[in-house]
Amino acid sequence: MAKKVFSFKALETDAEVKFLKREVRKTNTNISTVIRQLIRNAMEGKDVDDQTEILKAKLERLEKISLSAVKNASYAKYIALANYSKLVEGDQSEIEKMENSAVEFIKEEMEEI
């Protein structure tokens, strides 16, 4: 099978140049080899689905971490307010008002999420 040489001109963005350089370093090959592999992958439909699944899994994990962080922060604020209210000398109704406002705050925060 005879090899054919193709050449083309394209406007390259910084992102494209960085991507090609990164792929060349990663595979320890040259730009032609990287481009051939990208073409083969596109023809076979490889990597795109795998990358999409990996990104979806990472996004789901980040979402769980974010929700957990918000819940923990809201809980920590509620505990801090409750502890502060116990330390306050004075009217019991003021303490209850602070605790109720903390509970309302948490409800509002969780509804926003």
Side-chain angles (χ1 to χ4, degrees), residues 23 26 46-58:
E23 289 299 312
K26 188 168 71 174
K46 281 187 179 175
D47 291 338
V48 175
D49 292 334
D50 295 340
Q51 293 292 337
T52 303
E53 291 302 316
I54 290 169
L55 290 174
K56 282 181 184 178
K58 286 183 179 182

Side-chain angles (χ1 to χ4, degrees), residues 2-113:
K3 293 186 178 184
K4 295 182 181 179
V5 176
F6 292 95
S7 66
F8 59 92
K9 291 184 180 181
L11 296 176
E12 298 153 348
T13 64
D14 290 339
E16 291 169 340
V17 172
K18 287 178 184 176
F19 172 78
L20 281 174
K21 286 181 180 179
R22 186 177 62 238
E23 289 299 312
V24 167
R25 276 194 313 269
K26 188 168 71 174
T27 58
N28 197 23
T29 59
N30 58 35
I31 291 178
S32 296
T33 305
V34 169
I35 292 172
R36 275 197 306 272
Q37 188 60 45
L38 290 172
I39 292 170
R40 278 191 218 112
N41 289 346
M43 288 171 60
E44 295 171 6
K46 281 187 179 175
D47 291 338
V48 175
D49 292 334
D50 295 340
Q51 293 292 337
T52 303
E53 291 302 316
I54 290 169
L55 290 174
K56 282 181 184 178
K58 286 183 179 182
L59 285 174
E60 288 173 5
R61 176 113 171 93
L62 287 174
E63 183 180 12
K64 288 178 184 177
I65 290 169
S66 298
L67 287 175
S68 178
V70 169
K71 287 178 184 178
N72 289 334
S74 297
Y75 181 73
K77 184 171 184 170
Y78 171 73
I79 293 298
L81 285 173
N83 287 337
Y84 176 75
S85 67
K86 288 181 182 179
L87 296 173
V88 171
E89 299 287 333
D91 190 18
Q92 182 65 27
S93 64
E94 191 64 32
I95 294 172
E96 289 174 4
K97 189 191 307 183
M98 288 179 66
E99 288 176 343
N100 290 337
S101 66
V103 170
E104 288 299 316
F105 171 78
I106 291 173
K107 285 181 185 176
E108 291 171 8
E109 291 294 316
M110 295 310 289
E111 286 174 359
E112 286 181 25
I113 295 172

